[in-house]
Amino acid sequence: MRPLARTAAAALCTMTALALTAACGTLFDDERNAAPFARLTGPEVVNKALAATRGAKSVRMTVETTSPEGPVEAYVATDVRGECTVTLSLGAAGTLELVRTGGTVYTRSDAAMLRTAASPGGPRGNGSTAAGIEKLTGRWVKAPGGDRHTEFALRYCDRETLLGRLAPRSATARKGRATTPGPDATTDAPALTVSGRANGGTWTASIATEGRPYLLRAHLTDGARGDGRPLTVEFSGFNKPFPVRKPKISPS
């Protein structure tokens, strides 16, 4: 082989070896970063995350979705004893705060929420008149029976309301890349991304790869919930106590 040809062949071999090494290194890095999930299938990873998240003594959740009354934002803290706090915003329909402690539910609503509750189709009570709305705005009361907004907020006190959206879809799970938190991350936990398809929609989840395999985030797109509305939930504060105090009830 002529010297020039031998040099070109050697260079080609070197480049090929480097490319293979880099590719293999990336794969091995992903494998290491995905520990302890390297030998688990996608469905097995999701099921471990669901079990860990269900087993936490307490958890905080941030929920974003939509409803017939507008965008929904909910900030929830709940524990296995049934203690719970919720701040629920329903767009133009208003904001409601809820505390459940000792088995009793208390709520505090802004004027918009009280007016919505008093509208046709809503429950009627002390807040159904203009004077009643003004009196109750921003004041804690024992939750009135049959109030749809209270019942809606209470659903978030049971984490299974949200975990149950993902559980039936775990069989479609495929593992993705391991991720590390960036400067705008809501959690400082490294995670593995898992995704899938179901009911004509898609879903993605982030699962902690250090410590307990908690579910850190879940996002379900149109169709995946079965009702055509997207849902995003972020989980945090696992096993961290949160203050729950009986609100001071306003005099009648």
Side-chain angles (χ1 to χ4, degrees):
M1 182 181 293
R2 289 174 297 176
L4 183 58
R6 285 197 299 268
T7 301
L12 179 60
C13 290
T14 300
M15 292 174 62
T16 302
L18 288 173
L20 288 173
T21 300
C24 292
T26 300
L27 291 174
F28 291 146
D29 286 344
D30 283 347
E31 192 83 354
R32 285 193 294 268
N33 290 337
F37 305 135
R39 290 184 170 85
L40 298 181
T41 66
E44 288 172 336
V45 172
V46 175
N47 289 334
K48 282 180 68 71
L50 290 171
T53 306
R54 287 184 177 118
K57 292 181 179 179
S58 60
V59 65
R60 288 172 171 79
M61 299 177 288
T62 300
V63 184
E64 292 184 1
T65 184
T66 60
S67 76
E69 294 180 270
V72 177
E73 292 183 0
Y75 303 92
V76 185
T78 183
D79 67 18
V80 294
R81 301 171 300 162
E83 304 289 277
C84 181
T85 65
V86 182
T87 299
L88 174 69
S89 175
L90 289 175
T95 299
L96 174 145
E97 296 173 79
L98 178 146
V99 170
R100 184 173 70 187
T101 182
T104 303
V105 178
Y106 307 88
T107 58
R108 179 168 64 179
S109 303
D110 63 10
M113 184 67 76
L114 290 170
R115 283 194 295 269
T116 302
S119 63
R124 295 189 179 275
N126 292 334
S128 61
T129 66
I133 290 173
E134 182 178 357
K135 180 179 180 180
L136 293 178
T137 297
R139 297 187 177 187
W140 286 103
V141 298
K142 282 190 177 181
D147 180 76
R148 69 181 186 275
H149 294 133
T150 298
E151 293 175 355
F152 186 56
L154 272 173
R155 291 175 56 203
Y156 292 130
C157 286
D158 180 4
R159 70 190 80 173
E160 190 59 33
T161 298
L162 301 170
L163 297 177
R165 299 287 189 180
L166 180 59
R169 299 169 176 84
S170 64
T172 69
R174 295 178 63 88
K175 293 192 293 185
R177 287 184 174 275
T179 60
T180 54
D184 299 324
T186 57
T187 176
D188 59 358
L192 176 70
T193 299
V194 183
S195 61
R197 291 181 174 273
N199 298 340
T202 62
W203 62 267
T204 59
S206 296
I207 298 168
T209 55
E210 291 184 357
R212 297 281 292 161
Y214 292 122
L215 180 64
L216 302 179
R217 186 178 188 273
H219 176 70
L220 287 72
T221 65
D222 285 349
R225 286 178 63 185
D227 59 12
R229 296 195 294 269
L231 171 69
T232 301
V233 189
E234 294 183 354
F235 299 85
S236 63
F238 300 100
N239 298 315
K240 293 182 179 179
F242 56 92
V244 184
R245 298 181 180 87
K246 177 182 175 180
K248 183 177 180 180
I249 301 299
S250 302
S252 300

